[in-house]
Amino acid sequence: AGHVRRIVTEDGIAFQQVLRRALEIVDDCNCDTSCYQCLRNYYNQKIHDQLNRKDAAVFLRPWLGKMVPLEERDESSGFETEQIHREKV
C-alpha cells in the first residue's frame, strides 16, 4: 500500500514513470521469454514458465500517455467518481 501511495499522484507523472521504466526493462532485455534481468525473481519462481516479456510489453504500451483526471457522475447513485483518462502523446 505504501508503494501505491507514492506512485499514484494527481497528475499521474509518477505512475507514468513506473510504466515507462517497466516497458524499458522488458523491451531492452535480450532474453527469449523472461529472465532475472527483466521479469523473474525468487518470489515468482513457480510461474517462471508463464512469464513472457513480449506479452508484458503489449500489456504496458496502452497505459502510456498523459494521465488526465476525468470526472464522471454516476446518475443511478448520485455520487461523483473520478476516473483516469489516458491521452496518447
Side-chain angles (χ1 to χ4, degrees):
H3 294 299
V4 172
R5 286 189 184 113
R6 287 187 6 220
I7 66 169
V8 176
T9 57
E10 218 169 291
D11 59 10
I13 292 173
F15 184 55
Q16 285 295 305
Q17 290 173 334
V18 170
L19 292 173
R20 278 194 297 279
R21 181 63 181 130
L23 182 60
E24 183 180 302
I25 289 169
V26 294
D27 271 346
D28 292 348
C29 195
N30 294 321
C31 69
D32 187 29
T33 57
S34 67
C35 69
Y36 282 93
Q37 302 303 311
C38 61
L39 293 176
R40 293 181 182 189
N41 64 44
Y42 173 80
Y43 300 103
N44 65 16
Q45 64 185 321
K46 292 183 179 182
I47 61 165
H48 281 179
D49 60 329
Q50 298 172 33
L51 299 175
N52 186 306
R53 67 182 186 85
K54 293 174 186 171
D55 290 345
V58 168
F59 174 81
L60 291 168
R61 273 193 189 88
W63 291 97
L64 295 175
K66 184 178 178 186
M67 304 296 275
V68 179
L70 178 66
E71 291 186 19
E72 292 185 355
R73 180 172 286 278
D74 182 353
E75 297 298 329
S76 62
S77 67
F79 72 89
E80 289 187 19
T81 60
E82 278 192 21
Q83 293 183 341
I84 297 296
H85 172 70
R86 293 175 301 282
E87 288 182 353
K88 295 294 180 186
V89 289

